Amino acid sequence: MALLQEIKVPLLAVNDTSLTVVEIAFPGGHRVKTGDPVLVFETSKTTYDALAETDGYIQYLCETGKDYEVNYIAARIFSEPDEAGQTTVPGLLPIVEAGEPAARANRADWTGETLFSLEAGLLIDSSGIGRSIFKGKDFVTRRDVEMATGSYHPVPSRHTDSPRSAPTAPIRPARQASTLPDPAKTIVERLSRNKKKEIEYLGEVQSGGLTSTINVTVETEDIFVHINQSLKYLKDSLLPVILYETGRLLRKYRVLNSYFSGDAIAFYKEVNIGFAIDLEDKGLKVLKIAHTDSKTIAAIEEEILSLSNRYLDELLGIGDLSDISFTVTDLSSQGVSFFRPLVNTMNSAILGVSSIDEKLQRMILSLTFDHRVTEGKTVAAFLSDLKGRLESYRPDGTTVPVEDVSCFRCLKTLQEDLAGTGFVKCITPHGKDGYICQACLKGF
Amino acid sequence: MIKSVINHRIIKEAVRIRKVEEKFLELFSQGKLNGTVHTCVGQEFSAIAFAGQLKKKDFIFSNHRCHGHYLAFTGDTRGLLAELLGKASGTSGGIGSSQHLCNGNFFSNGIQGGIVPVAAGYALANKLKGNGAIGIVFIGDGTLGEGALYETMNIISKWGIPLMIVCENNFYAQSTPQQVNLAGDITARAEAFGIETFEGNTWDPESLMKQAGEAIEYVRTETRPCFFLVETYRLNAHSKGDDDRDPADVARFREKDFLHIFARESADYHQIYEEAINLEIDELVAEIEKEAELPMEKYFETVQHVTGNDWTALEPVNKRQVELINHFFRDILQSDEQVVFLGEDILSPYGGAFKVAKELSFLRPGRVFSTPISEAAITGVSNGLALNGFKPFAEIMFGDFMTLAFDQIVNHASKFHHMFNKKVNCPVVIRTPMGGRRGYGPTHSQTLDKFLVGIDNVKTVALNTLMDPALIYRSVYAERHPVLVIENKTDYGKKILQQPMNSFVCERNDDAFPVIRIRPPVSEPTLTVVAYGGMADIVSGILEDIFRHTDLIPELIVPSLISCLPIDLIAASAAKTGRLAVVEEGTAFSGIGSEVVSAVMEMTDARIKVKRISAYPVPIPSVRSLENIVLPGRDRIIQELKESFS
Ligand SMILES: Cc1ncc(C[n+]2csc(CCOP(=O)(O)OP(=O)(O)O)c2C)c(N)n1
């Protein structure tokens, strides 16, 4: 007759002052053995199995899907089955939503009668489970019974229980993982919700197995001399310029601004480049710069900043994350010499930005693309265009002019130009970005 | 030839009234007056003889044709001019204009006959105060068609209320000559109620002054009402250009008109007076025209209602609701001189149809008034008492009879405060038992709540059996504006919070008119239900059944102030549950449920499935089997919830 173990909400990371209970392994009152995982908590990054350290009978003081403060006693193991059935003095209170009366906090602390809806009753009778497993609950609905018997499949209905939140798929651990880890040899940390999403996200294009990566080297000597003048905050960063130039190029390379959809290619009408970000345990996210192709470098820079701030403050809206037509992942601050990025879902390509090699004064751009949509030749052309555009920011005329720069009026290319003063970037009468030669601009 | 020796002060006064009225017509034709004017040109001496001979402590209630009365009683030419010119400095801030004046003890309102019971209540208040003040209410001969007048004549005679009714008989009601609409004799009407009558006319001002003085003296010394019929004639149109009378007829009366004769026979005096007064009026108008109008924020500002979110557990009270209400009235009748209780059949031992007034008349005979069957007058008298410093609680025997009191609620109690630019408050309380389930049949069972909400400046409160009604009544008692209290016939006999609700937490917030919430103790609710009044008792009793049958965990929200619903609270709950049902005993169309649902939808973007459960739109049958179907009961509520939400 004893309380053998109290299972408290663990402190796993300083940022996580509360954890979510994502799985309750046994019905309340059930027998457990040493080493049994009895509860699964989730942090912002990972999941954690709470194990029974003793044989006994489990009593739960928590519910799945709810958040509990660190140190809250979420479960207890008793030596006798009837003890586990009784609810005793609660430990620390679980977290309650702001403004809610404290009374509601006594979540699993109901000592009154448990009411079963008729549907719940019928289901219990037909499934053969005992009503006693619901002890401690005030109301038992059909859904509660389905959850208990593992037959709960939420139907996307017009009227969900929480109408404000977007419907989320039930989190089902990826059980299909072929080789089950051996607990004797490994420490198993379950995948967090975020990581699972990431897998889903990247799995789609890559699982086709038809991706390929092409790299190009960009000369970067003195490149920031001019660029830093047009940057306000992100000095010594190529990201704003890369987004700017890529945005404009994607209008030409439409196929890189598209995605594979079964037997068709879906071309995005807009150029919305996303940039990947993964800071301070907030998880990997791709944030959208809408209409990248019509924004100035300064505007892009501002937007990178404001999006990053919202990301850190967890204030991103669904609009910040959706309808991204192409992705840039910039690892230049991480000292990587080069890497192979993975194409995101509903994209056909991703551009990886490696660090600048200070000695050699160059950097590598890598573009991974979906072969089902495009092919190496196009990508190579794109990368060479991009390289040219980026290198054109370098101060002296040592860079090779890009063939493609031509005056929109007289169609003269930059190479053909004799004036030696270069072309002026302009907006054409059709609202497009373009170049105009000095002669056409000023007149003869 | 003027035979009278009437003094020139009075003549000057009459000239002033006439000149002001003529100025109004002039300003009107220049488009400077908004709305309408009813001038009393030709009737000025009636105003002077009555209003002009009252004491300062006395009072006047007047009608649409009130400018002369106002000037004779208050002397406030400037306030009147500014009022009609729509200026903030007007006597009613420009809100009331021509027909809605208020200055000290002077009041006018544009509802024919409606002011008569209000004046009676005001006079009754003076009598209760014992201050020796009396009052006059002016009506036109056309108003002899209004029932409220006769209800009031009966009461003022029976109760010995010192009020003089002055009937200005100008032989027309708007466009209609008297012989078209008036049957029988005028003074005989009053005589039939045992009211002393007097007569006079404005063509002989000197006699009229004398007769009026005598009548005033009579009312004051006898503390009795009187009825004074004064013959007169208006020389101008009813309001502006609307005159179909025979011009020859009008001309004949113009010849008879005293000021006309005076102008002819004492032309030099008349000219001096007229010029001086015209100059004064012109100067005033010039000055007033430069003034500002009342800014909107001084008249009305929207207040965002926030429902209290501090909750206290509710306690059962082992007493019947009716006893608790009765005890509340015992307490305040004994502790507060200003409290008056009125209603039909409320004298003890009977103590009212539902016994709320039990023993009150024994306890406080001077403050408990059993009234004739006169809902309009009961309510009007209560309004008058409230305007004159008392706290009246009027009982309308059945909720269905509120229709007979409606004019007093909507056109009087509701409007006084604002239309007199906040110079007065009318803290009247009208209580009534509402609802069916007693087999009383069509005219004694209907729930009229939806007609009783949305009345400006009137709070409508519904009691319930979940909390001590005294708590709600204390807030009603403290209110400074009109309150309608809806009680429930079947709730009277029930004790407080007696139904077992072991599976739920019952709590109330700390609002003056508390909101009750009955919620699951642990689980999150998945259905929001709103019910109030008698339905709160029924719905709270079947919450467990609702859960069993619908598989939804209900949270019940019970407002007590139904004229201002706790929408924020309901919306927050419904946003979480995604389901909102409103149960009411009235019919659904344009009802409380409709209001709740639309206001909730305005407040939240959440997707919420909604349902109104209500009575069927037919008169309530007396036969039990049908009554039980027409009104929403346990089975129908569960059935409709199931159909709507699963
Ligand atoms: C309850 C009500 N019904 C109708 C009217 C419209 N109305 C205003 S004055 C009037 C005629 C009133 O005639 P009477 O009482 O003889 O007064 P007089 O205009 O002759 O002074 C009418 C019908 C009203 N104001 N109130």
Side-chain angles (χ1 to χ4, degrees):
Chain A
M1 291 289 273
L3 170 63
L4 303 176
Q5 187 192 349
E6 283 185 338
I7 296 168
K8 293 186 180 171
V9 177
L11 181 66
L12 297 175
V14 276
N15 287 334
D16 291 319
T17 55
S18 72
L19 302 188
T20 315
V21 172
V22 288
E23 205 174 308
I24 292 180
F26 297 93
H30 202 276
R31 182 165 170 71
V32 295
K33 289 203 299 309
T34 310
D36 280 350
V38 291
L39 265 179
V40 183
F41 293 105
E42 184 178 63
T43 70
S44 52
K45 260 289 203 215
T46 173
T47 55
Y48 169 85
D49 284 1
L51 305 184
E53 292 164 4
T54 165
D55 291 2
Y57 297 88
I58 184 89
Q59 176 196 46
Y60 288 106
L61 302 169
C62 58
E63 278 179 59
T64 47
K66 300 254 151 66
D67 288 356
Y68 296 88
E69 301 239 25
V70 165
N71 280 335
Y72 170 73
I73 299 170
R76 296 166 178 170
I77 299 174
F78 291 93
S79 61
E80 302 298 327
D82 48 319
E83 289 174 311
Q86 286 161 14
T87 323
T88 41
V89 210
L92 283 171
L93 294 182
I95 296 178
V96 287
E97 293 147 60
E100 283 294 299
R104 187 163 288 191
N106 306 327
R107 286 269 160 240
D109 213 27
W110 182 239
T111 52
E113 191 192 346
T114 302
L115 288 188
F116 296 83
S117 75
L118 294 180
E119 285 185 43
L122 286 174
L123 205 60
I124 287 173
D125 294 346
S126 67
S127 68
I129 60 170
R131 290 193 183 220
S132 59
I133 67 162
F134 296 103
K135 194 150 188 157
K137 277 188 78 72
D138 50 354
F139 295 92
V140 176
T141 62
R142 179 193 173 88
R143 185 180 147 167
D144 293 323
V145 181
E146 286 174 343
M147 297 270 234
T149 58
S151 61
Y152 175 62
H153 303 289
V155 254
S157 76
R158 199 173 83 80
H159 297 287
T160 56
D161 283 350
S162 47
R164 267 181 201 284
S165 57
T168 47
I171 325 140
R172 306 199 148 266
R175 296 224 189 272
Q176 66 269 33
S178 47
T179 42
L180 284 173
D182 177 355
K185 295 182 184 160
T186 52
I187 298 166
V188 183
E189 272 195 18
R190 293 221 194 187
L191 291 174
S192 75
R193 207 185 295 223
N194 284 340
K195 197 69 204 168
K196 284 178 206 154
K197 266 205 198 118
E198 215 175 290
I199 294 171
E200 215 173 87
Y201 212 70
L202 295 170
E204 209 164 283
V205 179
Q206 263 69 221
S207 65
L210 287 172
T211 57
S212 174
T213 307
I214 295 181
N215 305 304
V216 64
T217 307
V218 180
E219 304 294 329
T220 56
E221 192 171 4
D222 293 334
I223 195 161
F224 289 113
V225 173
H226 283 175
I227 289 179
N228 277 352
Q229 278 169 13
S230 43
L231 292 177
K232 249 192 181 146
Y233 316 100
L234 301 173
K235 305 265 188 213
D236 295 334
S237 166
L238 277 182
L239 185 61
V241 177
I242 289 174
L243 289 168
Y244 174 84
E245 295 297 351
T246 306
R248 275 146 184 83
L249 277 179
L250 284 176
R251 279 206 226 140
K252 181 170 158 195
Y253 296 93
R254 284 171 64 235
V255 75
L256 300 181
N257 196 56
S258 73
Y259 69 96
F260 179 74
S261 83
D263 52 2
I265 297 173
F267 290 94
Y268 285 103
K269 291 183 183 159
E270 291 172 358
V271 174
N272 298 325
I273 304 186
F275 66 98
I277 186 166
D278 189 359
L279 297 173
E280 295 181 16
D281 287 348
K282 302 283 180 199
L284 174 61
K285 291 230 159 73
V286 179
L287 313 184
K288 176 174 84 181
I289 305 218
H291 308 291
T292 328
D293 56 337
S294 62
K295 289 200 165 127
T296 63
I297 294 178
I300 289 172
E301 184 194 16
E302 297 257 6
E303 208 160 327
I304 293 173
L305 270 174
S306 80
L307 280 166
S308 308
N309 285 335
R310 270 183 282 150
Y311 161 84
L312 289 172
D313 297 340
E314 297 179 1
L315 292 174
L316 291 171
I318 185 77
D320 296 327
L321 303 166
S322 51
D323 301 325
I324 290 168
S325 60
F326 180 91
T327 309
V328 174
T329 172
D330 178 6
L331 293 184
S332 60
S333 61
Q334 309 291 315
V336 300
S337 41
F338 92 95
F339 67 106
R340 177 179 189 273
L342 297 176
V343 184
N344 281 328
T345 180
M346 291 173 82
N347 277 189
S348 64
I350 181 166
L351 181 71
V353 183
S354 303
S355 306
I356 291 176
D357 183 326
E358 295 294 346
K359 239 192 248 153
L360 299 175
Q361 279 300 319
R362 60 186 213 186
M363 69 183 290
I364 291 174
L365 294 179
S366 315
L367 194 113
T368 304
F369 61 95
D370 187 344
H371 244 297
R372 296 171 299 184
V373 173
T374 182
E375 63 293 304
K377 196 172 145 218
T378 312
V379 172
F382 168 83
L383 280 174
S384 121
D385 274 2
L386 182 60
K387 169 185 159 77
R389 282 175 175 237
L390 291 176
E391 288 174 349
S392 74
Y393 286 89
R394 294 175 55 202
D396 55 54
T398 54
T399 46
V400 192
V402 189
E403 280 175 44
D404 260 315
V405 177
S406 60
C407 172
F408 83 88
R409 281 193 77 186
C410 64
L411 301 177
K412 175 172 63 194
T413 66
L414 192 55
Q415 284 156 313
E416 293 163 343
D417 185 52
L418 302 173
T421 44
F423 287 1
V424 177
K425 276 193 182 172
C426 69
I427 307 290
T428 70
H430 306 295
K432 300 254 166 63
D433 277 358
Y435 298 93
I436 185 159
C437 68
Q438 298 292 341
C440 287
L441 182 66
K442 295 190 193 140
F444 291 100
Chain B
M1 189 63 205
I2 297 175
K3 292 185 205 79
S4 81
V5 285
I6 187 157
N7 78 44
H8 276 216
R9 185 187 63 77
I10 287 168
I11 293 172
K12 270 197 280 187
E13 192 58 19
V15 173
R16 169 190 302 275
I17 294 174
R18 181 162 299 188
K19 292 298 142 194
V20 170
E21 294 286 50
E22 285 171 356
K23 189 72 190 177
F24 284 141
L25 290 173
E26 180 192 323
L27 289 168
F28 188 88
S29 62
Q30 292 167 356
K32 289 181 178 168
L33 298 192
N34 201 20
T36 191
V37 277
H38 304 90
T39 61
C40 67
V41 174
Q43 306 185 178
E44 296 89 347
F45 285 105
S46 166
I48 293 164
F50 297 101
Q53 293 199 83
L54 286 182
K55 296 187 178 169
K56 245 212 138 72
K57 65 178 178 185
D58 298 332
F59 71 86
I60 288 188
F61 276 80
S62 178
N63 56 5
H64 57 294
R65 207 172 299 287
C66 59
H67 306 164
H69 308 147
Y70 181 85
L71 292 174
F73 187 66
T74 67
D76 177 26
T77 312
R78 192 185 200 292
L80 181 67
L81 286 166
E83 182 61 28
L84 273 81
L85 283 163
K87 303 301 185 181
S89 72
T91 182
S92 298
I95 305 298
S97 188
S98 171
Q99 312 186 61
H100 314 102
L101 307 175
C102 173
N103 186 348
N105 296 329
F106 183 97
F107 310 88
S108 68
N109 196 5
I111 299 293
Q112 304 305 315
I115 37 152
V116 184
V118 182
Y122 207 89
L124 174 61
N126 284 338
K127 186 179 171 182
L128 294 178
K129 290 177 184 172
N131 61 11
I134 66 158
I136 290 175
V137 57
F138 287 96
I139 60 170
D141 53 303
T143 305
L144 292 168
E146 290 287 358
L149 172 66
Y150 303 100
E151 290 187 12
T152 309
M153 288 213 271
N154 186 42
I155 287 175
I156 56 177
S157 177
K158 202 69 218 167
W159 296 1
I161 293 180
L163 176 68
M164 176 170 0
I165 299 174
V166 175
C167 177
E168 296 182 313
N169 179 13
N170 59 17
F171 303 97
Y172 280 85
Q174 200 146 330
S175 68
T176 309
Q178 195 174 90
Q179 65 271 18
V180 174
N181 282 331
L182 191 83
D185 186 74
I186 297 180
T187 50
R189 287 164 153 78
E191 282 158 12
F193 288 104
I195 294 174
E196 193 73 20
T197 61
F198 296 79
E199 290 184 66
N201 66 63
T202 52
W203 301 293
D204 180 359
E206 192 193 1
S207 308
L208 184 62
M209 292 291 290
K210 206 163 133 274
Q211 291 151 336
E214 283 166 13
I216 289 168
E217 188 58 20
Y218 166 81
V219 173
R220 202 183 301 281
T221 53
E222 301 295 320
T223 323
R224 287 285 306 161
C226 86
F227 183 93
F228 201 117
L229 180 64
V230 51
E231 276 190 14
T232 184
Y233 198 81
R234 67 172 153 78
L235 297 174
N236 286 337
H238 169 69
S239 51
K240 287 92 53 183
D242 47 348
D243 202 350
D244 296 320
R245 297 174 300 181
D246 180 356
D249 228 25
V250 181
R252 198 164 51 78
F253 276 104
R254 199 178 298 280
E255 284 307 306
K256 263 177 90 171
D257 171 58
F258 183 90
L259 287 185
H260 202 77
I261 298 168
F262 177 74
R264 196 173 56 220
E265 301 197 350
S266 299
D268 41 358
Y269 270 118
H270 183 263
Q271 194 184 346
I272 294 169
Y273 296 159
E274 192 179 48
E275 280 175 3
I277 290 168
N278 276 342
L279 184 68
E280 182 195 334
I281 294 173
D282 286 343
E283 281 175 1
L284 279 174
V285 168
E287 194 182 298
I288 292 166
E289 277 190 301
K290 292 188 213 120
E291 289 183 356
E293 294 173 8
L294 196 70
M296 185 62 192
E297 64 270 20
K298 286 218 167 154
Y299 185 53
F300 173 73
E301 273 182 301
T302 318
V303 186
Q304 186 71 37
H305 177 79
V306 179
T307 305
N309 203 14
D310 281 336
W311 299 89
T312 317
L314 284 170
E315 301 290 340
V317 184
N318 193 20
K319 284 214 170 78
R320 294 183 198 289
Q321 190 197 49
V322 68
E323 287 176 74
L324 293 165
I325 303 174
N326 175 257
H327 271 278
F328 168 78
F329 285 119
R330 284 169 190 252
D331 287 351
I332 59 165
L333 271 167
Q334 283 172 295
S335 63
D336 185 349
E337 280 284 305
Q338 311 313 124
V339 171
V340 180
F341 195 101
L342 312 88
E344 295 162 14
D345 287 293
I346 59 164
L347 286 190
S348 293
Y350 185 71
F354 294 92
K355 312 301 168 205
V356 168
K358 196 172 157 205
E359 286 171 12
L360 298 184
S361 65
F362 292 158
L363 276 172
R364 205 73 169 83
R367 289 290 184 272
V368 178
F369 292 86
S370 183
T371 69
I373 306 169
S374 307
E375 289 76 16
I378 298 169
T379 313
V381 166
S382 301
N383 282 341
L385 282 164
L387 283 179
N388 200 356
F390 282 81
K391 184 78 192 180
F393 289 81
E395 174 171 301
I396 301 296
M397 190 190 274
F398 277 77
D400 309 66
F401 312 159
M402 287 296 270
T403 53
L404 291 101
F406 206 49
D407 171 54
Q408 283 300 329
I409 295 168
V410 175
N411 283 316
H412 296 79
S414 157
K415 289 175 183 161
F416 285 146
H417 178 70
H418 286 91
M419 80 183 189
F420 295 146
N421 198 23
K422 305 182 184 171
K423 282 181 173 173
V424 300
N425 285 346
C426 185
V428 68
V429 180
I430 317 287
R431 327 171 11 255
T432 193
M434 199 68 83
R437 303 183 212 279
R438 304 258 318 228
Y440 290 144
T443 63
H444 290 62
S445 309
Q446 196 180 354
T447 291
L448 292 176
D449 304 352
K450 66 178 169 189
F451 300 101
L452 301 176
V453 294
I455 305 172
D456 307 322
N457 202 38
V458 175
K459 289 199 168 69
T460 307
V461 172
L463 305 185
N464 56 61
T465 59
L466 304 170
M467 62 178 282
D468 188 340
L471 218 61
I472 295 177
Y473 258 120
R474 262 195 280 282
S475 296
V476 171
Y477 175 52
E479 273 296 323
R480 311 209 43 219
H481 294 292
V483 183
L484 310 179
V485 183
I486 296 170
E487 299 170 1
N488 182 281
K489 290 169 206 135
T490 56
D491 281 355
Y492 281 139
K494 292 174 187 157
K495 296 180 176 177
I496 303 306
L497 205 67
Q498 293 297 306
Q499 306 195 73
M501 266 178 282
N502 299 333
S503 301
F504 291 87
V505 176
C506 304
E507 54 200 9
R508 68 168 176 86
N509 72 0
D510 52 5
D511 286 0
F513 296 99
V515 178
I516 293 170
R517 179 167 74 176
I518 303 185
R519 58 168 178 88
V522 179
S523 297
E524 288 294 339
T526 53
L527 166 67
T528 306
V529 184
V530 176
Y532 69 90
M535 284 317 307
D537 188 75
I538 294 178
V539 177
S540 64
I542 61 169
L543 286 175
E544 292 186 5
D545 286 346
I546 289 175
F547 166 68
R548 278 199 195 90
H549 290 272
T550 62
D551 196 43
L552 297 172
I553 306 172
E555 169 167 272
L556 173 64
I557 294 173
V558 179
S560 57
L561 180 63
I562 62 168
S563 54
C564 176
L565 294 152
I567 297 301
D568 49 352
L569 187 80
I570 299 170
S573 171
K576 268 199 288 182
T577 63
R579 302 177 183 89
L580 170 63
V582 187
V583 189
E584 64 190 305
E585 202 181 311
T587 51
F589 185 89
S590 215
I592 310 295
S594 310
E595 177 57 31
V596 169
V597 165
S598 47
V600 163
M601 290 309 190
E602 278 179 353
M603 190 172 270
T604 167
D605 295 331
R607 285 177 162 199
I608 302 168
K609 171 109 171 85
V610 298
K611 174 67 186 170
R612 291 168 295 167
I613 300 177
S614 61
Y616 292 135
V618 280
I620 316 294
S622 181
V623 55
R624 183 174 300 166
S625 58
L626 294 188
E627 182 177 37
N628 284 343
I629 295 170
V630 168
L631 299 179
R634 176 193 177 278
D635 294 350
R636 178 142 77 83
I637 294 169
I638 291 173
Q639 182 64 27
E640 292 191 15
L641 288 174
K642 245 169 107 170
E643 283 168 7
S644 295
F645 297 119
S646 46

